Amino acid sequence: MLRQRFVLDTTALTDMQARESMGIDKLCEGMKSMLELIASARLKLGISCYVPFPSVYNELHEFAKNNACEADVIAKIDTWLVKKAPDRYNVMINSRIFHEYVSYMRERINKGMVVAEEAIWEGSTKCLFLTTKAENTQQIEFEIEKGVIGPIIGKFRNKYRSALRYGILDSAPDIDVLILAKELDAAVVASDFGIQKWAEELGVRFVPAHTFPMILQEYLAHAGDANNQIKDIIQDNP
């Protein structure tokens, strides 16, 4: 019998594309259907889905509660997901990985600083330009606040988040997912590009969250065929 291990990030149950692949719109219904697939895969195929405890486990609980999911969703989280604390002391990771991570973080921080400087220069330039056309002080303050500073700050925030956060590990649960997957020789399921990037660096298998439902459905669809083939072999070779 085929046995697989997966370590789930929170996005494995909350990814919008995964819900769409199952024809589901609502978040709680998507989580429930995903957990039911996991339950079937565990009972019929022995496939185990782990979540790091307490980090990702607590995130899933909070996510379900904050989105007013019914109690059975939380019950399914507790029943069908295997909770395990990652072994942070004994899982060995090559020091080169951390060296590259530090360099990568420094590069991202520098990019964030450049974006901030560009926003400051743009804002200052436009403010000086507007003051030369203003009729009075009140008009200057209103034009600067509503017409210049607000949009520039909004643009700055978007660029800063993109430059600093995209493709990096920015939370303890992200690291726990990778450590636990390394420890168990399991595949990581997530929709986070940072987790994907560093899973590749660590030699950990990665499964995009939006394909995970289809993978489980494919396993389950062929489980019956495999059992029938085994029965035929036994009958042919008594």
Side-chain angles (χ1 to χ4, degrees):
M1 181 180 290
L2 178 64
R3 296 182 185 275
Q4 282 272 24
R5 287 178 172 179
F6 296 95
V7 176
L8 308 188
D9 176 52
T10 301
T11 57
L13 297 185
T14 61
D15 183 67
M16 184 176 65
Q17 285 183 287
R19 292 200 305 275
E20 290 175 351
S21 71
M22 296 186 289
I24 298 171
D25 294 326
K26 295 183 179 179
L27 173 67
C28 293
E29 289 181 10
M31 292 180 69
K32 184 176 180 179
S33 296
M34 192 69 244
L35 288 163
E36 287 174 350
L37 267 179
I38 289 170
S40 297
R42 182 172 179 181
L43 293 174
K44 296 180 180 180
L45 297 171
I47 293 175
S48 299
C49 290
Y50 290 77
V51 288
F53 180 86
S55 57
V56 174
Y57 172 77
N58 288 342
E59 271 193 354
L60 286 171
H61 262 252
E62 289 299 318
F63 208 93
K65 290 177 181 177
N66 292 340
N67 287 276
C69 294
E70 296 179 357
D72 64 337
V73 173
I74 294 176
K76 290 178 189 297
I77 291 172
D78 290 337
T79 304
W80 300 114
L81 300 182
V82 183
K83 300 171 285 294
K84 187 181 187 307
D87 189 350
R88 301 189 185 101
Y89 293 98
N90 294 317
V91 175
M92 304 301 293
I93 297 175
N94 196 301
S95 60
R96 182 181 65 85
I97 300 296
F98 283 102
H99 183 273
E100 289 184 1
Y101 184 68
V102 171
S103 298
Y104 189 76
M105 282 294 298
R106 174 59 62 88
E107 180 185 349
R108 288 293 186 176
I109 291 170
N110 289 339
K111 285 183 178 180
M113 291 175 61
V114 170
V115 171
E117 289 174 1
E118 289 176 352
I120 293 169
W121 276 107
E122 185 179 355
S124 300
T125 302
K126 288 192 176 181
C127 286
L128 290 171
F129 177 75
L130 286 172
T131 54
T132 60
K133 293 186 176 182
E135 297 178 0
N136 53 57
T137 305
Q138 291 181 344
Q139 186 179 3
I140 294 173
E141 291 176 353
F142 178 81
E143 288 182 355
I144 292 175
E145 182 179 352
K146 300 296 182 182
V148 179
I149 296 178
I152 289 174
I153 287 177
K155 193 193 312 183
F156 160 72
R157 287 173 179 168
N158 290 334
K159 286 186 176 181
Y160 187 81
R161 289 180 184 135
S162 177
L164 192 60
R165 297 190 63 185
Y166 183 73
I168 67 170
L169 301 176
D170 59 356
S171 70
D174 290 353
I175 298 173
D176 282 346
V177 165
L178 290 169
I179 292 174
L180 185 56
K182 186 76 172 176
E183 176 186 347
L184 299 173
D185 190 23
V188 170
V189 183
S191 63
D192 188 299
F193 179 70
I195 293 178
Q196 178 181 354
K197 174 182 172 58
W198 293 100
E200 293 170 0
E201 290 287 337
L202 294 171
V204 172
R205 289 175 294 151
F206 179 82
V207 175
H210 70 275
T211 67
F212 190 49
M214 292 180 284
I215 290 173
L216 294 182
Q217 288 167 351
E218 187 71 8
Y219 282 150
L220 290 167
H222 288 275
D225 294 339
N227 289 333
N228 290 334
Q229 289 175 4
I230 292 171
K231 289 178 182 178
D232 292 340
I233 292 171
I234 292 173
Q235 289 173 357
D236 293 340
N237 300 278

